[in-house]
């Protein structure tokens, strides 16, 4: 499957911005099942400087500075991605989850050492007894890690309602847990908090999810949205991706943009500005399939 993805972010400021330093995390990762054939970042006003680098987690970042006074900033990322059928099926067997948790600190393999850092608290995710208690309803004694992970994913999908009006990017996981409502970012943070509270390693994955219009309705350009899901580490098996928002295992309909400890590591666009005052933000995403299934 080939997708053309256009992610357009527009900031409108009440007063002129005299200087803006920004970081964009908008280029999909290169993975075994995901190839990036084309990528372009269009910025207006044109930046005075623009550089690229790979961050600690292997994500592709663009740093740019806008020195021209402006009351509007538009950042448009255009990518073309080839998604192969996921050749790694969900494993039929895995060790008990307790073994996975106990072995992680002693796993000196390259993958194990990389995974270990995702077992700790991060800026937006705390380890809490209430998260452990909720997770233990799925992670029962001796249960295989893969089975428990799928069960927790299904329970979050069932117990929490998708509601884009009750949370913001600053809403804490504890508040989401109390309200039982949120969006994909919140559900990903919650599931990671549950896993880390059991001493398991889990990372936050940002990207895009292919959506389908209602029967008989045309596909609306720009009506898609960015998405977030979870990747949990199981020693001897590897990373296992799950999508608690939709209760499914990601496939070639999920395009991976970046991953980190939580949203703060992979926010699409962040930075510092001088001036501007109040502002409005508009985001439009279009994920267009270029070939048929």
């Amino acid at each position: 499957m080939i997708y053309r993805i256009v992610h357009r972010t527009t900031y409108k400021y009440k007063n002129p911005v005299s200087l803006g330093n920004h970081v964009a995390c908008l280029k999909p990762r290169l993975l075994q099942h995901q190839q990036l054939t084309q990528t372009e970042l269009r910025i207006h006003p044109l930046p005075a400087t623009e550089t690229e680098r790979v961050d600690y987690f292997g994500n592709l970042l663009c740093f740019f500075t806008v020195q021209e006074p402006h009351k509007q900033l538009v950042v448009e990322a255009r990518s073309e991605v080839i998604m192969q059928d996921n050749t790694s099926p969900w494993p039929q067997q895995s060790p008990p989850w307790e073994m996975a948790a106990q072995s992680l600190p002693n796993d000196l393999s390259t993958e194990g050492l990389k995974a270990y850092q995702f077992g700790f608290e991060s800026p937006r995710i705390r380890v809490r007894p209430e998260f452990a208690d909720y997770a233990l309803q799925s992670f029962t004694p001796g249960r295989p890690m893969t089975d428990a992970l799928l069960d927790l994913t299904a329970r979050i999908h069932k117990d929490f309602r998708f509601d884009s009006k009750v949370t913001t990017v600053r809403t804490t996981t504890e508040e989401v847990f109390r309200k039982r409502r949120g969006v994909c970012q919140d559900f990903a943070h919650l599931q990671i908090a549950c896993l880390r509270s059991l001493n398991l390693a889990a990372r936050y994955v940002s990207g895009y999810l292919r959506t389908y219009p209602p029967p008989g309705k045309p596909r609306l350009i720009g009506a898609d949205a960015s998405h977030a899901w979870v990747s949990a580490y199981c020693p001897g098996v590897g990373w296992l991706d799950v999508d608690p928002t939709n209760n499914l295992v990601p496939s070639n309909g999920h395009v991976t943009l970046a991953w980190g400890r939580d949203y703060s590591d992979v926010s699409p666009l962040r930075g510092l500005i001088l001036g501007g005052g109040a502002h409005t933000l508009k985001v439009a995403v279009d994920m267009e399939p270029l070939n048929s299934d």
Side-chain angles (χ1 to χ4, degrees):
M1 177 61 66
I2 304 175
Y3 294 108
R4 178 186 293 126
I5 302 168
V6 180
H7 186 149
R8 183 182 178 92
T9 304
T10 303
Y11 282 98
K12 291 186 177 181
Y13 305 99
K14 182 178 180 179
N15 303 312
V17 173
S18 57
L19 177 68
N21 289 313
H22 304 274
V23 183
C25 184
L26 289 166
K27 293 189 177 183
R29 290 185 69 117
L30 299 175
L31 303 172
Q32 184 177 3
H33 65 283
Q34 178 176 296
Q35 300 176 23
L36 184 60
T37 60
Q38 181 180 336
T39 181
E40 178 185 10
L41 196 62
R42 300 178 180 179
I43 304 168
H44 183 79
L46 291 175
T49 63
E50 184 176 351
T51 59
E52 291 186 349
R53 73 172 178 86
V54 177
D55 73 2
Y56 175 79
F57 300 106
N59 305 310
L60 303 173
L61 303 182
C62 177
F63 294 77
F64 64 92
T65 299
V66 178
Q67 297 179 346
E68 172 186 338
H70 58 281
K71 295 186 69 174
Q72 177 174 286
L73 174 67
V74 179
V75 179
E76 184 177 273
R78 291 176 167 264
S79 304
E80 192 170 295
V81 180
I82 299 177
M83 299 294 295
Q84 304 293 338
D85 289 334
N86 198 334
T87 56
S88 300
W90 189 264
Q92 297 300 310
Q93 296 182 334
S94 69
W97 71 269
E98 299 99 328
M99 185 180 297
Q102 293 167 5
S103 65
L104 186 60
N106 302 313
D107 187 348
L108 300 182
S109 67
T110 301
E111 198 65 22
L113 291 173
K114 289 181 179 179
Y116 188 54
Q117 64 192 324
F118 292 102
F120 301 95
E121 289 188 341
S122 57
R124 294 175 182 254
I125 298 176
R126 297 288 179 262
V127 170
R128 293 287 187 265
E130 58 266 34
F131 298 148
D133 291 341
Y134 182 79
L136 284 172
Q137 297 176 52
S138 297
F139 287 78
T140 52
R143 191 172 193 180
M145 170 79 176
T146 50
D147 292 353
L149 182 60
L150 290 177
D151 189 74
L152 177 61
T153 303
R155 286 180 48 238
I156 292 175
H157 176 73
K158 178 183 177 181
D159 294 347
F160 291 77
R161 178 182 174 184
F162 188 93
D163 189 337
S164 61
K165 297 181 180 180
V166 299
T167 62
T168 69
V169 294
R170 296 180 179 85
T171 302
T172 66
T173 308
E174 290 83 355
E175 186 177 348
V176 173
F177 189 67
R178 291 193 300 269
K179 291 183 175 180
R180 290 295 200 270
R181 295 186 178 191
V183 295
C184 59
Q185 171 190 303
D186 302 312
F187 303 150
H189 279 166
L190 173 64
Q191 186 161 19
I192 293 169
C194 289
L195 294 168
R196 291 180 185 171
S197 295
L198 297 182
N199 298 314
L200 295 166
R203 63 193 182 194
Y204 181 98
V205 185
S206 72
Y208 304 103
L209 171 65
R210 180 182 180 182
T211 58
Y212 296 86
K217 299 291 184 178
R219 192 178 67 84
L220 298 178
I221 304 299
D224 297 321
S226 55
H227 193 49
W229 59 96
V230 177
S231 191
Y233 182 73
C234 181
V237 177
W239 290 98
L240 301 170
D241 284 17
V242 288
D243 182 346
T245 304
N246 298 291
N247 187 27
L248 52 78
V249 173
S251 61
N252 65 356
H254 287 67
V255 174
T256 299
L257 193 61
W259 61 59
R261 297 165 300 170
D262 57 39
Y263 173 80
S264 64
D265 287 331
V266 297
S267 57
L269 192 62
R270 58 189 185 273
L272 296 172
I273 61 172
L274 185 61
H279 71 271
T280 60
L281 169 64
K282 181 179 179 181
V283 179
V285 177
D286 185 50
M287 183 172 173
E288 178 188 5
L290 299 183
N291 57 345
S292 58
D293 291 319

